[in-house]
Amino acid sequence: MKNEVKIHEVEPSLNSRRSFLKLGGLTLVTAGLVMAGCSDNDNDDPMDDTSLPGVRNGVFDLGSGDFGVLTYAYALEQLEADFYTKVVNASGFNATFNEIERQVLTDLYHHEVIHRDFFKAALSGGLPDPSSQLLPSLAFNYGALNFNSRTEVLATAKALEDTGVAAYNGAGKLIKTPEYLVLAGKIVSVEARHASAIRSLINPNSSDFAGDDIVSTSNGLDAAKDPSKILPIAGSFITTKFTAKYLP
């Protein structure tokens, strides 16, 4: 009976997030198509421009400025999309998670795929030479993570979502183009709802959805971290080598 009460109380909040996120995801896809072709960079030697991503000394570098931040976000969204793809396709998905948990995790899977594809479309349309400057599809390794373990999956999801929110918050100050900043703000609001939903699944009917470990007690804001603090965390799952020499 106790478990039934918890599920009943959590469900309306999670369903509200689901409706909001579906609308937000569709808006972002449309915005990505509108953004295509916005670049006016005519540098004759793109590799002399550190704002442009691309291979330098044999290794792909994310670049700096708007393109660097967008490429950085694209790398993180590739990771989240891959993780949730594995979650929903795990052999024990239906048995491991209850109905509400499956709905939330499936929605998060769709949202992260939308985010990943949004950044790919935006960068493909905006980069001067996307054939050489678009970050390739990354490869991932989750080590001994058991995708049929509720505890392990939700703990990893919590870590990824919290990291994603801190990453967007920390990168916002690096974005110069107002339209890109607005879009990043929309995405981070979605990511924050992801983090809240996962925390509510782990500990229903608690204040963990906005815990003191991620929300400052002094200003009421989520954590914000520079790329140099985020990439080592994300890099523990990413096996494709790349650098971020021109991001703080």
Side-chain angles (χ1 to χ4, degrees):
M1 185 67 175
K2 184 177 181 180
N3 289 336
E4 291 178 359
V5 172
K6 286 184 177 180
I7 290 175
H8 176 72
E9 293 182 359
V10 172
E11 184 175 5
S13 174
L14 294 178
N15 284 341
S16 296
R17 292 191 188 102
R18 293 181 64 212
S19 298
F20 174 87
L21 293 174
K22 285 181 178 178
L23 292 174
L26 293 174
T27 301
L28 289 171
V29 170
T30 303
L33 297 177
V34 172
M35 289 169 62
C38 287
S39 174
D40 57 0
N41 191 319
D42 296 322
N43 194 324
D44 291 336
D45 187 353
M47 288 300 97
D48 289 341
D49 184 351
T50 58
S51 71
L52 293 172
V55 177
R56 293 179 172 86
N57 299 319
V59 181
F60 193 96
D61 187 86
L62 302 183
S64 64
D66 286 353
F67 282 131
V69 173
L70 292 176
T71 303
Y72 165 58
Y74 179 38
L76 297 179
E77 295 296 354
Q78 283 196 48
L79 169 58
E80 290 189 311
D82 182 82
F83 171 74
Y84 286 110
T85 297
K86 287 182 170 59
V87 169
V88 301
N89 285 289
S91 60
F93 181 63
N94 289 334
T96 301
F97 300 98
N98 65 37
E99 182 180 0
I100 292 174
E101 292 168 344
R102 292 196 301 271
Q103 290 175 346
V104 171
L105 291 169
T106 300
D107 282 343
L108 266 58
Y109 154 69
H110 288 298
H111 304 159
E112 300 300 1
V113 168
I114 287 173
H115 292 173
R116 180 198 65 196
D117 293 349
F118 157 72
F119 281 110
K120 183 175 183 179
L123 287 164
S124 296
L127 288 166
D129 183 13
S131 64
S132 65
Q133 296 163 348
L134 179 67
L135 180 72
S137 296
L138 302 176
F140 308 94
N141 188 316
Y142 301 93
L145 174 63
N146 179 4
F147 281 92
N148 290 320
S149 165
R150 179 184 182 277
T151 300
E152 292 184 30
V153 167
L154 293 183
T156 304
K158 175 183 173 182
L160 289 177
E161 296 297 350
D162 289 350
T163 298
V165 173
Y168 277 103
N169 287 342
K173 64 181 181 291
L174 305 175
I175 301 175
K176 304 301 182 185
T177 304
E179 292 81 3
Y180 290 177
L181 185 58
V182 169
L183 288 166
K186 290 182 178 181
I187 294 176
V188 73
S189 72
V190 174
E191 296 292 348
R193 284 162 174 78
H194 286 184
S196 176
I198 291 295
R199 284 166 168 263
S200 293
L201 292 182
I202 293 173
N203 193 7
N205 308 320
S206 73
S207 62
D208 285 4
F209 70 93
D212 291 344
D213 57 325
I214 53 164
V215 177
S216 171
T217 56
S218 62
N219 60 23
L221 300 176
D222 277 308
K225 297 181 180 179
D226 287 336
S228 61
K229 302 296 184 182
I230 295 293
L231 287 173
I233 301 173
S236 64
F237 301 108
I238 301 172
T239 59
T240 304
K241 185 178 180 180
F242 62 82
T243 59
K245 294 181 178 179
Y246 307 102
L247 290 174

